[in-house]
Amino acid sequence: MARRIAERVWAPGALIPGEEVLAVEFSCARATVNRALQELARGGVLVRKRKAGTRVALHPMREARFVIPIVRQEIENKGGIYQFRLLSNKVEKAPVTVTKRLGLTKAKEMLHVRCLHLSDGKPYQYEDRWVNLDAVPSIRHETFETISPNEWLVTHSPFSQAEIVFHADLAGGEEAEILGVNEKDSVFVIERLTFVLQKPITFVRMSHPGSHRMVTQL
Amino acid sequence: MARRIAERVWAPGALIPGEEVLAVEFSCARATVNRALQELARGGVLVRKRKAGTRVALHPMREARFVIPIVRQEIENKGGIYQFRLLSNKVEKAPVTVTKRLGLTKAKEMLHVRCLHLSDGKPYQYEDRWVNLDAVPSIRHETFETISPNEWLVTHSPFSQAEIVFHADLAGGEEAEILGVNEKDSVFVIERLTFVLQKPITFVRMSHPGSHRMVTQL
């Protein structure tokens, strides 16, 4: 069936034969045809409609998903033992680069919290975070002794919009030391900005050693 | 299992039964239970710990989506003028690193095609691709004079499964020259493996200059 689609024997948008017909044609069980149809539909190659039958997709779906995880769960799901280490936690004036990204017009005091997430005792992610105290006032007196800023925010401050940026960078001196890599090694960086009903909550830069792989299946 | 979680038969944070028990209860193989548990864990619905067993997640992860674009469209959507340059195109023995990733047990001849995608005349993405000729025999005689390998495959060879890996790397000598960056600058790499009904189609490594940003909104 995949070959027929590829070779345009079944053209984009065309209705394909029913399951019984295909089962006879391919000399296999109807359940096998059904499974193959399901898989092709999951991949966006076919479009199935309950009554209208199955058609070849006009524009095969090219969408993948990835989860926005709590870093503790991400590490534990990979079988690692999770720990985190608080590096600093203070209220201070945010740099313009941060306030600008968050759409704030004036420089202001924000919570600046930095920590290291470890998997099996090895550095996994360095989190450098700014939090808008107007949006989340109750975070001001949190000590982050038992819960990381990442997990605290996920459980206390739901967001409605987010922007996520992925890029590659070279490790700066302090960052390299924290991550246990050489200066100017590559690091995999995720930046995340979250908002709740237009109000900025947080800007976070999460960097990982160059060996890090972000994997997603489709 | 998903229904039990949704209906709170298994409450958030609750420990769920072991794989053997579930296999008996659902009258299926333990491997099937294991696969389902893995999938639910990947979606953030379950949390698995090496010794402590599997629990329902207290806070399910948020999901973001990104589009798997045709690189021409990606560049044009950003307002750039697209061009591509074919660098090489030949059938040759694939390295073990490639055949292994594709789940092929024997070394074999594959189509190896390399090209550079440009935006406004500047290097945007270097594509180094291997194609399984058993899955896509008609690609053997394609010259890629008017269509890039990326676009050819999207339009001629639909896939049903894919694995996508993102990571940061340091530019190798030849790669740096092709991308117009310095050797050992950071590069943002996307690897993509695609399959149709279990059959491997292609393995591609796409690298971008360190200035590249992959942005997704949610």
Side-chain angles (χ1 to χ4, degrees):
Chain A
M1 293 193 286
R3 184 160 50 236
R4 285 186 189 180
I5 295 164
E7 291 172 355
R8 310 267 167 144
V9 177
W10 291 346
L15 199 65
I16 71 165
E19 284 181 16
E20 298 93 339
V21 176
L22 291 168
V24 172
E25 215 180 322
F26 291 110
S27 316
C28 65
R30 189 175 159 172
T32 308
V33 171
N34 184 277
R35 244 192 349 264
L37 290 175
Q38 262 180 37
E39 196 178 325
L40 289 168
R42 244 200 332 263
V45 171
L46 290 176
V47 179
R48 314 187 77 190
K49 287 200 190 160
R50 223 179 291 169
K51 290 195 177 153
T54 299
R55 287 182 184 276
V56 179
L58 278 173
H59 307 286
M61 187 196 67
R62 303 283 133 185
E63 232 182 29
R65 291 158 187 225
F66 61 89
V67 287
I68 302 180
I70 294 174
V71 61
R72 176 181 59 73
Q73 288 181 351
E74 179 179 327
I75 288 169
E76 287 174 354
N77 286 345
K78 289 179 182 179
I81 290 167
Y82 173 72
Q83 287 170 284
F84 80 94
R85 194 179 299 152
L86 187 65
L87 301 173
S88 69
N89 179 23
K90 58 186 169 213
V91 174
E92 58 181 325
K93 198 145 170 194
V96 182
T97 47
V98 170
T99 49
K100 225 177 166 177
R101 287 288 294 278
L102 288 170
L104 296 165
T105 45
K106 272 199 288 189
K108 60 186 287 180
E109 300 238 300
M110 295 178 77
L111 181 72
H112 185 202
V113 54
R114 293 154 62 245
C115 71
L116 178 66
H117 302 273
L118 303 106
S119 174
D120 291 338
K122 286 190 289 286
Y124 180 88
Q125 182 194 90
Y126 167 43
E127 173 184 349
D128 187 348
R129 181 185 292 275
W130 294 85
V131 184
N132 179 12
L133 290 165
D134 291 343
V136 199
S138 59
I139 203 173
R140 187 186 277 265
H141 303 293
E142 176 58 48
T143 58
F144 304 115
E145 269 164 26
T146 55
I147 185 170
S148 80
N150 167 249
E151 195 154 356
W152 192 96
L153 278 164
V154 169
T155 52
H156 290 73
S157 178
F159 58 84
S160 53
Q161 302 126 265
E163 178 176 301
I164 307 162
V165 180
F166 303 90
H167 65 102
D169 210 342
L170 297 174
E174 194 194 4
E175 182 177 37
E177 205 174 300
I178 291 166
L179 285 173
V181 301
N182 293 319
E183 198 173 338
K184 298 201 172 169
D185 265 2
S186 63
V187 284
F188 182 76
V189 179
I190 307 176
E191 290 174 352
R192 196 157 62 218
L193 296 92
T194 61
F195 302 83
V196 63
L197 309 172
Q198 261 53 267
K199 198 172 198 170
I201 300 173
T202 190
F203 170 82
V204 58
R205 181 183 189 276
M206 296 162 280
S207 59
H208 311 75
S211 55
H212 185 77
R213 297 285 179 274
M214 181 177 110
V215 180
T216 184
Q217 318 262 348
L218 162 139
Chain B
M1 294 193 285
R3 182 158 53 233
R4 286 187 189 180
I5 294 162
E7 292 173 355
R8 308 266 167 146
V9 176
W10 291 346
L15 198 65
I16 71 165
E19 285 183 13
E20 296 95 338
V21 176
L22 292 169
V24 171
E25 211 178 327
F26 291 108
S27 315
C28 66
R30 188 173 160 174
T32 308
V33 171
N34 184 278
R35 242 190 353 263
L37 291 175
Q38 264 180 36
E39 202 176 318
L40 289 169
R42 247 202 328 266
V45 173
L46 289 177
V47 180
R48 314 186 77 188
K49 284 200 191 165
R50 224 179 289 170
K51 291 197 176 151
T54 299
R55 286 181 185 277
V56 179
L58 281 171
H59 309 284
M61 297 183 203
R62 298 286 295 264
E63 250 187 9
R65 289 159 185 231
F66 59 91
V67 172
I68 301 178
I70 293 174
V71 62
R72 177 181 56 75
Q73 289 178 347
E74 179 179 326
I75 288 168
E76 288 173 355
N77 286 344
K78 290 180 183 179
I81 290 167
Y82 174 73
Q83 287 171 285
F84 80 95
R85 196 179 297 152
L86 187 65
L87 302 172
S88 69
N89 179 22
K90 58 186 168 210
V91 174
E92 59 181 324
K93 199 145 171 195
V96 183
T97 47
V98 170
T99 50
K100 226 177 166 177
R101 287 287 293 278
L102 288 170
L104 296 165
T105 45
K106 272 199 287 191
K108 61 186 287 179
E109 300 238 302
M110 295 178 76
L111 181 72
H112 185 201
V113 54
R114 293 155 61 245
C115 70
L116 177 67
H117 303 273
L118 304 106
S119 174
D120 291 337
K122 287 189 289 286
Y124 180 88
Q125 181 193 90
Y126 166 43
E127 172 183 349
D128 186 347
R129 181 185 293 276
W130 293 85
V131 184
N132 179 13
L133 290 165
D134 291 345
V136 199
S138 58
I139 202 171
R140 186 185 279 263
H141 303 293
E142 176 57 48
T143 58
F144 304 113
E145 270 164 26
T146 56
I147 185 170
S148 80
N150 166 250
E151 194 153 357
W152 192 95
L153 278 164
V154 168
T155 51
H156 291 73
S157 181
F159 58 83
S160 54
Q161 301 127 264
E163 178 177 301
I164 308 162
V165 180
F166 303 89
H167 65 102
D169 211 344
L170 297 174
E174 195 193 5
E175 183 177 36
E177 206 174 300
I178 291 166
L179 285 174
V181 299
N182 293 320
E183 199 174 338
K184 298 202 173 169
D185 266 0
S186 64
V187 285
F188 182 75
V189 180
I190 307 176
E191 290 175 353
R192 197 157 63 218
L193 295 93
T194 61
F195 301 84
V196 63
L197 306 173
Q198 262 53 268
K199 198 172 197 169
I201 300 172
T202 189
F203 170 83
V204 59
R205 181 183 189 276
M206 295 162 282
S207 59
H208 310 75
S211 55
H212 185 77
R213 297 284 179 276
M214 182 178 110
V215 180
T216 183
Q217 316 264 348
L218 161 141

